[in-house]
Amino acid sequence: MSEFLSKDEKEALQAGTQGQEHLEVPLTNSKSSLDIILDVPLDVEVVLGSARKRIDEVRNLAPGAIVELDKLVDDQVDITVNGTLIAQGEVVVVNENFGVRITNILAPYERISRLRS
């Protein structure tokens, strides 16, 4: 494995694994290592809004009922990946289908701070 790592990567690996047992997995090159995770499926959701209802209100829902959400028509929608907010956008219509135009992508530090709160 070490023949594929730079000097800095080797030093970081040695510093991070001292005193720990680990399996050595041969890597052919970094591109193929990345290819391994590119096929991992992720859940992408667009959140229009939310509502808080009592059990009896949910029980009484019927076809035709309207559930009022906490966002206005012109508010941006939240885009989450595996439950983590990553971006915001606006709803658009594309050939009779809904879509989302991304208007803002959260910086990595914003995503991490939201996970901690």
Side-chain angles (χ1 to χ4, degrees):
M1 177 171 125
S2 60
E3 64 268 14
F4 301 108
L5 301 176
S6 70
K7 180 182 175 191
D8 292 338
E9 290 170 327
K10 289 177 189 176
E11 290 173 359
L13 181 61
Q14 288 172 346
T17 59
Q18 285 182 351
Q20 299 176 3
E21 292 184 23
H22 64 279
L23 296 174
E24 192 167 308
V25 179
L27 300 175
T28 54
N29 61 46
S30 59
K31 184 177 187 297
S32 66
S33 299
L34 180 59
D35 288 343
I36 292 170
I37 65 167
L38 291 178
D39 287 338
V40 174
L42 301 173
D43 292 323
V44 178
E45 296 178 344
V46 176
V47 182
L48 295 174
S50 62
R52 188 170 202 67
K53 299 288 182 193
R54 294 186 319 267
I55 292 174
D56 65 323
E57 291 174 307
V58 172
R59 232 185 86 215
N60 290 326
L61 289 176
I66 295 174
V67 177
E68 187 176 345
L69 302 176
D70 61 352
K71 289 198 174 190
L72 300 174
V73 172
D74 292 332
D75 284 351
Q76 292 193 0
V77 294
D78 294 333
I79 302 165
T80 66
V81 174
N82 285 352
T84 300
L85 179 66
I86 63 150
Q88 295 172 318
E90 55 189 34
V91 177
V92 295
V93 177
V94 182
N95 299 328
E96 298 184 23
N97 290 322
F98 286 114
V100 177
R101 178 181 293 119
I102 295 176
T103 58
N104 179 42
I105 297 179
L106 276 66
Y109 69 87
E110 290 177 298
R111 288 177 280 189
I112 291 170
S113 67
R114 286 177 186 260
L115 286 173
R116 292 181 179 158
S117 60

